[in-house]
Amino acid sequence: MIVGKKVALRPIEDKDLPLLVKWRNDPRSRTRFYSTELIALSGQKKWLENLLNDPTRIQFMITRLEDGVTIGTVGLMRIDHRNQTVRPGPFIMDPAERGAQLGVEALRTILRYAFRELNMQRAYGTVFDFNRSAAMGFEAIGFKREGVARKSVWVDGEWRDAIYMGLLRDEWDEERLDRLGGLVSG
């Protein structure tokens, strides 16, 4: 388990799959993915099997430390040990938990793991232009906007931009993050 100040990240278990299906199929979540198709429990099981056999990806369930309730999922993908790069994601929060800042802490916690434990040099991600809260969360942690893929994703009947963001290990300032309510050291 990876522990932050208000959240803990634990491995995904079979019992989590129905919850993942519920969150992934929620219309408020689907628009934040490149693939917006509905997923069945059998598809989620296949996803987990593939995940467990892929050394370039890890995924965790986010639990709130206060009460142990599972509130989301966060992971790392495209783990590249040679080039020391990683992409946070996929990231899904229970729609009822959005705006509680626990998603930002979960992202800080997984990045701490990436930089400290996996020895990554760079983290990068993509947010859609309409998802301002995700962009603000990335920026609060220290990510910089690196570019825009204009009209690269079709969402709700219109073309939208994808914003590319990156964070280098030497820009990672844990003391600043601690002042913002960041991570437990250790």
Side-chain angles (χ1 to χ4, degrees):
M1 185 175 301
I2 303 168
V3 180
K5 250 186 183 172
K6 296 181 181 178
V7 299
L9 308 181
R10 64 167 176 79
I12 294 177
E13 302 175 37
D14 287 339
K15 70 177 184 174
D16 298 315
L17 295 178
L19 192 54
L20 290 173
V21 169
K22 177 183 171 187
W23 292 337
R24 179 66 175 82
N25 286 338
D26 186 288
R28 295 166 289 181
S29 298
R30 285 198 345 255
T31 60
R32 290 167 166 82
F33 288 90
Y34 281 103
S35 173
T36 59
E37 290 81 22
L38 293 172
I39 190 164
L41 184 58
S42 60
Q44 198 69 59
K45 285 180 183 179
K46 185 166 179 58
W47 170 85
L48 182 58
E49 289 171 16
N50 291 336
L51 174 74
L52 295 173
N53 292 308
D54 185 345
T56 68
R57 296 187 316 176
I58 53 175
Q59 193 75 24
F60 299 98
M61 297 303 290
I62 306 166
T63 59
R64 197 172 35 224
L65 286 176
E66 175 183 18
D67 57 12
V69 172
T70 301
I71 60 168
T73 180
V74 65
L76 299 171
M77 54 194 228
R78 298 184 183 157
I79 299 169
D80 180 344
H81 290 284
R82 180 180 184 276
N83 294 303
Q84 296 177 300
T85 60
V86 66
R87 180 177 180 166
F91 185 65
I92 305 174
M93 289 296 289
D94 180 336
E97 297 293 330
R98 291 193 185 134
Q101 295 301 311
L102 295 177
V104 173
E105 183 178 341
L107 184 56
R108 281 195 300 257
T109 304
I110 197 76
L111 287 168
R112 173 181 170 230
Y113 177 77
F115 288 130
R116 282 188 170 181
E117 304 297 324
L118 299 180
N119 196 33
M120 294 291 115
Q121 168 61 28
R122 179 176 188 275
Y124 63 97
T126 306
V127 297
F128 299 149
D129 63 353
F130 61 86
N131 193 353
R132 300 239 185 258
S133 62
M136 288 173 30
F138 271 79
E139 289 169 344
I141 291 170
F143 276 78
K144 309 272 189 279
R145 291 178 183 236
E146 296 182 334
V148 176
R150 297 174 301 141
K151 295 186 179 184
S152 62
V153 63
W154 183 255
V155 178
D156 290 334
E158 65 179 309
W159 289 105
R160 302 303 299 250
D161 297 346
I163 301 165
Y164 293 97
M165 304 185 81
L167 176 65
L168 302 177
R169 183 171 50 202
D170 61 2
E171 296 169 337
W172 178 250
D173 181 349
E174 287 190 74
E175 289 180 27
R176 180 181 67 84
L177 292 176
D178 284 339
R179 288 191 302 274
L180 294 171
L183 305 167
V184 176
S185 61

